[in-house]
Amino acid sequence: MTTRARSFDAAAALYHSHRPGYPDALFDAVEELAGRPLAGARVADVGAGTGIASALLHARGAEVLAVEPGDGMAAEFRRAHPRIPLVRGDGDRLPLAGGALDLLTYAQAWHWTDPARSVPEARRVLRPGGALALWWNDMDTAVPWIAAQDARIRNLFGADAAVFRGLPPGLDFTTRAIRWSRRVPLDAHLANHASHSAFLLLGATRTHAFLDGERARLLARFPDGSVEESYVVTLSLAVP
């Protein structure tokens, strides 16, 4: 798991350039479920990566502190977001004071933690009434062409890509699904896939071969080279 998590360091620029962001509706839902606005909230964004979620939280007026373990990702974060403070660490050993936070967020990152450690750490750093928010952004397999592509990816890796995700027991989570979309060039769509850990570990030759096949299939469907990507963000929020 550690090897897979750290695979992003060598591809931080690719990750930052091509991973999707998050819709405003996600942050509206975070505010609703947490029972307070993000503006002025003290937030730690753990597993911050290159800062995609941190920057959007900051834009909503939150006082954001990013936490990131990887060298390459942290370097890209600091290059892209020099005004947002970042500390090195992970969810199992948060380098944060106790009772200091209104909100602790994990955007695409909770599954890299050990809940036996990360849940007590979340409880330690949150103030009474503070919230833990976990979310994952996935392509929407209710869309037929995305479902077909997803099946090919699963067949390539011989596993359920989401099998290692799960909510920790003992917390009362409320979950919301938020659908959204973006239109991107075909090259950006393929580069997004290439930035995922499974492809990073697969190796360049096999990754390029698979994505070349996807390029041919998608050009037949999107002849102008512009792909309409549909997503579902699954948000789960609890007050530990």
Side-chain angles (χ1 to χ4, degrees):
M1 184 73 80
T2 299
T3 299
R4 186 167 177 175
R6 294 300 174 86
S7 66
F8 299 115
D9 280 325
L14 179 73
Y15 187 109
H16 184 71
S17 296
H18 297 293
R19 282 293 182 99
Y22 303 103
D24 285 342
L26 167 64
F27 301 102
D28 293 341
V30 169
E31 291 180 327
E32 178 189 344
L33 296 179
R36 63 153 298 149
L38 284 167
R42 294 166 296 172
V43 180
D45 183 33
V46 187
T50 63
I52 295 171
S54 297
L56 293 170
L57 289 161
H58 178 77
R60 295 284 291 233
E63 298 175 11
V64 181
L65 174 65
V67 180
E68 169 55 41
D71 293 341
M73 300 293 264
E76 185 67 19
F77 185 107
R78 290 187 171 118
R79 182 198 66 77
H81 309 292
R83 291 185 172 84
I84 301 176
L86 179 144
V87 295
R88 305 299 299 280
D90 61 46
D92 296 341
R93 295 165 294 274
L94 290 171
L96 306 173
L101 299 174
D102 299 305
L103 180 66
L104 188 65
T105 63
Y106 285 81
Q108 311 275 115
W110 178 258
H111 51 273
W112 303 123
T113 76
D114 174 3
R117 297 180 178 182
S118 54
V119 170
E121 280 290 85
R123 288 191 169 113
R124 180 182 66 81
V125 301
L126 286 168
R127 64 163 179 78
L132 170 65
L134 322 175
W135 66 79
W136 288 271
N137 196 28
D138 298 297
M139 295 197 73
D140 187 355
T141 55
V143 178
W145 76 263
I146 293 176
Q149 183 181 74
D150 183 69
R152 291 189 294 271
I153 291 172
R154 292 177 188 276
N155 183 63
L156 175 67
F157 293 106
D160 184 339
V163 73
F164 58 95
R165 295 183 187 174
L167 297 178
L171 296 177
D172 185 15
F173 282 97
T174 300
T175 296
R176 295 277 180 84
I178 298 124
R179 282 180 159 79
W180 69 288
S181 65
R182 68 172 188 168
R183 181 166 287 276
V184 296
L186 175 56
D187 284 347
H189 171 77
L190 298 175
N192 175 20
H193 282 300
S195 74
H196 285 256
S197 59
F199 282 103
L200 294 172
L201 294 177
L202 184 65
T205 299
R206 294 181 67 193
T207 293
H208 289 157
F210 180 84
L211 294 181
D212 284 347
E214 291 305 297
R215 182 188 304 278
R217 290 184 183 93
L218 292 178
L219 275 174
R221 183 175 185 86
F222 302 104
D224 66 350
S226 180
V227 177
E228 181 74 20
E229 296 180 335
S230 298
Y231 288 92
V232 181
V233 184
T234 304
L235 164 69
S236 295
L237 187 144
V239 177

